[in-house]
Amino acid sequence: MTSLPEPTSKKLGLVIDLDICVGCQSCATSCKEWNTGGYSAPLSDHDPYGADPSGAWLNRIHSYEFGEGPEAKTVHFPRSCLHCEEPDCVTVCPTGASYKRAEDGIVLVNPDTCIGCKLCSWACPYGAREYDYDDGVMKKCTLCVDRIYNENLPEEDRVPACVRSCPTGARAFGDLGDPDSDVSRSVAEREGFNLLEEFGYKPVNKYLPPRKAQVPTQAPEKQPEQVAAPNGTAIEKLFSWVDKTLS
C-alpha cells in the first residue's frame, strides 16, 4: 500500500461557484481536449456521435431540476477529482501508481506502474477515477499539471483548462493552503463547503453554495442572503438541501 507524504502548506485546487455555473459543458470539453494530448493522453473515445458513446472523461457535470412551473430551478454540479488531503485512492494502491505530490498536494496516477486493478476507483467516494479500457489504466483530473507550470504558455493560460474556458467565471484556481489567496477569501466570504465532509478525506476543492432566491418588492438595499453549507450524510441530502434553500 502507498503512504501519504508529509503535508505542506501549499494546496492547489479549484473553487466552483454553484450560483453561476450554467452547465454549458465547456469545462468538460476543454478538459477532454487538453488531456487527450497532455499528461493523461490519450483519453479513449468510442462512437462519440453514435447511440452508445463511451470513453474516459476527467470532468463531468450533473444537472438537477427542482420544483414545477414558474418555480422550477436547475442546479448544475460539476464533479472531478477533489485532490483530497487524505485520499484513500492513494493509500489503497498496491503499486504506488496513485500518489499525492508533496510540493503542491496534487493527486496523480503514474500510468507506467498502474496495473488497472480499479482499487482506487472503489475507494473514491466521489466517483472521480476513470478506467481507460484502451490503455488498461486509471485516469483522473491532474489539475492540468502539465499546463499550470508551463512557462512557455502566457501567464493567463497557466491555469487548468476547465478554468480558462469557463464563460461565467464559475471556476477558480489557486492555493487553498494560503488563507490570503483569492480562492481562500472567496471560500470564507461565501461559506464554501467540502463535498461529503463527513467522510473525512478533507477535499481541497471547495464549492460555493447557491444564493437564496429573492423577489424584492422594491429596490434592494443589501446583497442577497447567503446559504450555509450542508451537513448531509449522502449526496442525495446535498441536493435535498439545495431544493429546500432555493424554494
Side-chain angles (χ1 to χ4, degrees):
M1 301 300 174
T2 307
S3 60
L4 295 173
E6 290 295 322
T8 59
S9 60
K10 190 172 185 179
K11 301 173 184 176
L12 295 184
L14 301 173
V15 173
I16 299 173
D17 192 341
L18 300 179
D19 195 44
I20 57 177
C21 175
V22 296
C24 67
Q25 307 287 324
S26 174
C27 55
T29 55
S30 62
C31 169
K32 180 86 168 185
E33 179 182 20
W34 177 265
N35 284 287
T36 291
Y39 182 91
S40 294
L43 298 181
S44 60
D45 235 348
H46 298 283
D47 195 23
Y49 302 106
D52 187 25
S54 65
W57 289 78
L58 310 185
N59 200 336
R60 298 178 184 270
I61 299 88
H62 305 279
S63 298
Y64 299 84
E65 295 184 357
F66 302 93
E68 297 179 357
E71 302 301 319
K73 303 175 182 67
T74 302
V75 174
H76 305 287
F77 201 93
R79 176 180 60 82
S80 62
C81 175
L82 302 176
H83 299 276
C84 301
E85 292 185 48
E86 299 181 6
D88 270 4
C89 61
V90 169
T91 56
V92 301
C93 181
T95 68
S98 289
Y99 65 100
K100 186 173 180 66
R101 287 163 48 118
E103 61 267 34
D104 51 24
I106 298 176
V107 177
L108 296 173
V109 178
N110 183 349
D112 294 331
T113 54
C114 177
I115 58 175
C117 67
K118 302 183 183 178
L119 280 176
C120 59
S121 65
W122 299 337
C124 175
Y126 306 112
R129 296 284 178 134
E130 298 271 333
Y131 182 71
D132 193 315
Y133 284 90
D134 286 356
D135 289 349
V137 299
M138 303 304 299
K139 296 183 178 180
K140 59 176 292 299
C141 163
T142 69
L143 278 182
C144 291
V145 68
D146 53 345
R147 180 183 175 106
I148 60 178
Y149 292 113
N150 189 345
E151 296 183 357
N152 293 318
L153 294 176
E155 187 172 355
E156 61 270 20
D157 288 335
R158 294 178 207 166
V159 294
C162 61
V163 174
R164 190 71 173 100
S165 70
C166 181
T168 66
R171 305 173 74 92
F173 169 71
D175 183 4
L176 285 149
D178 178 3
D180 294 323
S181 67
D182 290 342
V183 286
S184 293
R185 286 199 297 267
S186 69
V187 170
E189 292 168 1
R190 288 279 303 282
E191 298 184 11
F193 62 93
N194 291 335
L195 183 59
L196 300 177
E197 184 173 12
E198 62 275 10
F199 284 175
Y201 297 123
K202 301 180 182 178
V204 173
N205 289 7
K206 310 296 180 189
Y207 288 90
L208 304 182
R211 293 182 172 91
K212 184 181 294 185
Q214 293 186 345
V215 182
T217 57
Q218 57 186 11
E221 297 180 356
K222 61 180 181 179
Q223 295 296 319
E225 181 181 349
Q226 295 179 1
V227 181
N231 291 311
T233 58
I235 191 67
E236 290 83 6
K237 290 191 176 182
L238 170 62
F239 293 106
S240 173
W241 165 81
V242 172
D243 189 16
K244 291 178 181 177
T245 55
L246 294 184
S247 297

